[in-house]
Amino acid sequence: MGGIGIWQILIIALVVLVLFGRGRISEMMGDFGKGISSFKKGMSEEESSADPAHAKRIEAPASDASASETKSAETSEKTGS
């Protein structure tokens, strides 16, 4: 009970075939295959361009604490304290 049997699968397949037709289903599967091969090609190009020698260095922004310390030091220099 509750499981999908062979008869339910056959009925679903028949309904899908009637709604979309044989040509449309094969066209969708062809597009799906092209998409997967394009994705694999893009991933392989990404890996080859990600060489460590060519990697860009990303620097973290200055923290708010160091910025406030710099401002307080500048104001104390101006006031002479």
Side-chain angles (χ1 to χ4, degrees):
M1 290 211 123
I4 296 178
I6 187 72
W7 291 110
Q8 288 86 3
I9 292 173
L10 288 174
I11 291 171
I12 291 171
L14 182 66
V15 169
V16 168
L17 187 62
V18 168
L19 289 176
F20 293 109
R22 189 182 61 126
R24 179 71 179 140
I25 292 173
S26 65
E27 182 182 317
M28 287 185 342
M29 290 297 111
D31 291 342
F32 182 71
K34 288 178 186 175
I36 288 179
S37 63
S38 173
F39 177 76
K40 287 181 180 179
K41 181 180 176 183
M43 290 301 291
S44 66
E45 288 176 358
E46 175 94 11
E47 289 174 358
S48 65
S49 68
D51 292 335
H54 293 70
K56 293 182 179 178
R57 182 176 174 178
I58 300 174
E59 295 182 12
S63 67
D64 292 334
S66 64
S68 63
E69 291 174 3
T70 306
K71 287 180 183 178
S72 63
E74 288 175 358
T75 55
S76 65
E77 288 177 4
K78 288 180 183 178
T79 59
S81 308

Short mmCIF file of all heavy atoms in Angstrom, two decimals, residues 1-15:
data_model
loop_
_atom_site.label_atom_id
_atom_site.label_comp_id
_atom_site.label_asym_id
_atom_site.label_seq_id
_atom_site.Cartn_x
_atom_site.Cartn_y
_atom_site.Cartn_z
N MET A 1 0.83 -1.18 0.00
CA MET A 1 0.00 0.00 0.00
C MET A 1 0.88 1.25 0.00
O MET A 1 1.87 1.31 0.70
CB MET A 1 -0.87 0.04 1.24
CG MET A 1 -1.97 -0.97 1.29
SD MET A 1 -3.32 -0.28 2.18
CE MET A 1 -4.57 -0.45 0.96
N GLY A 2 0.47 2.23 -0.79
CA GLY A 2 1.17 3.49 -0.81
C GLY A 2 2.36 3.51 -1.75
O GLY A 2 2.88 4.57 -2.05
N GLY A 3 2.82 2.35 -2.19
CA GLY A 3 3.96 2.30 -3.10
C GLY A 3 3.50 2.45 -4.54
O GLY A 3 2.36 2.17 -4.89
N ILE A 4 4.39 2.90 -5.38
CA ILE A 4 4.06 3.04 -6.79
C ILE A 4 4.41 1.73 -7.48
O ILE A 4 5.57 1.30 -7.43
CB ILE A 4 4.82 4.22 -7.43
CG1 ILE A 4 4.37 5.53 -6.78
CG2 ILE A 4 4.60 4.27 -8.92
CD1 ILE A 4 5.09 6.74 -7.30
N GLY A 5 3.44 1.14 -8.12
CA GLY A 5 3.65 -0.14 -8.80
C GLY A 5 3.88 0.06 -10.28
O GLY A 5 3.92 1.19 -10.80
N ILE A 6 4.02 -1.02 -10.98
CA ILE A 6 4.30 -0.99 -12.41
C ILE A 6 3.12 -0.40 -13.18
O ILE A 6 3.31 0.31 -14.18
CB ILE A 6 4.70 -2.40 -12.93
CG1 ILE A 6 5.16 -2.35 -14.39
CG2 ILE A 6 3.52 -3.35 -12.82
CD1 ILE A 6 6.48 -1.72 -14.56
N TRP A 7 1.91 -0.67 -12.74
CA TRP A 7 0.73 -0.14 -13.45
C TRP A 7 0.64 1.37 -13.33
O TRP A 7 0.31 2.06 -14.30
CB TRP A 7 -0.55 -0.81 -12.96
CG TRP A 7 -0.62 -2.25 -13.35
CD1 TRP A 7 -0.52 -3.33 -12.52
CD2 TRP A 7 -0.75 -2.75 -14.68
NE1 TRP A 7 -0.59 -4.49 -13.25
CE2 TRP A 7 -0.74 -4.16 -14.59
CE3 TRP A 7 -0.88 -2.18 -15.93
CZ2 TRP A 7 -0.85 -4.98 -15.69
CZ3 TRP A 7 -1.00 -3.00 -17.02
CH2 TRP A 7 -0.98 -4.38 -16.92
N GLN A 8 0.95 1.92 -12.17
CA GLN A 8 0.92 3.38 -12.01
C GLN A 8 1.98 4.04 -12.87
O GLN A 8 1.75 5.09 -13.47
CB GLN A 8 1.12 3.77 -10.54
CG GLN A 8 -0.06 3.46 -9.65
CD GLN A 8 -0.05 2.06 -9.11
OE1 GLN A 8 0.87 1.28 -9.34
NE2 GLN A 8 -1.09 1.70 -8.37
N ILE A 9 3.16 3.43 -12.94
CA ILE A 9 4.23 3.99 -13.77
C ILE A 9 3.84 3.96 -15.24
O ILE A 9 4.06 4.93 -15.98
CB ILE A 9 5.55 3.22 -13.53
CG1 ILE A 9 6.05 3.49 -12.11
CG2 ILE A 9 6.61 3.63 -14.54
CD1 ILE A 9 7.24 2.67 -11.70
N LEU A 10 3.23 2.87 -15.69
CA LEU A 10 2.79 2.78 -17.08
C LEU A 10 1.71 3.81 -17.41
O LEU A 10 1.73 4.42 -18.48
CB LEU A 10 2.29 1.37 -17.39
CG LEU A 10 3.36 0.28 -17.48
CD1 LEU A 10 2.73 -1.09 -17.65
CD2 LEU A 10 4.30 0.57 -18.62
N ILE A 11 0.79 4.02 -16.50
CA ILE A 11 -0.27 5.02 -16.73
C ILE A 11 0.33 6.42 -16.79
O ILE A 11 -0.02 7.22 -17.67
CB ILE A 11 -1.36 4.92 -15.63
CG1 ILE A 11 -2.12 3.60 -15.79
CG2 ILE A 11 -2.30 6.11 -15.68
CD1 ILE A 11 -3.07 3.29 -14.65
N ILE A 12 1.25 6.74 -15.90
CA ILE A 12 1.90 8.07 -15.92
C ILE A 12 2.69 8.25 -17.20
O ILE A 12 2.64 9.31 -17.83
CB ILE A 12 2.80 8.23 -14.67
CG1 ILE A 12 1.95 8.32 -13.42
CG2 ILE A 12 3.69 9.46 -14.80
CD1 ILE A 12 2.72 8.25 -12.12
N ALA A 13 3.42 7.22 -17.63
CA ALA A 13 4.19 7.31 -18.88
C ALA A 13 3.26 7.51 -20.07
O ALA A 13 3.57 8.29 -20.98
CB ALA A 13 5.03 6.05 -19.06
N LEU A 14 2.13 6.84 -20.09
CA LEU A 14 1.17 6.98 -21.19
C LEU A 14 0.59 8.39 -21.23
O LEU A 14 0.48 9.00 -22.30
CB LEU A 14 0.06 5.94 -21.04
CG LEU A 14 -1.00 5.93 -22.14
CD1 LEU A 14 -0.35 5.51 -23.45
CD2 LEU A 14 -2.13 5.00 -21.78
N VAL A 15 0.25 8.94 -20.08
CA VAL A 15 -0.29 10.30 -20.01
C VAL A 15 0.75 11.32 -20.48
O VAL A 15 0.44 12.23 -21.25
CB VAL A 15 -0.78 10.62 -18.57
CG1 VAL A 15 -1.09 12.10 -18.41
CG2 VAL A 15 -1.99 9.78 -18.23
#
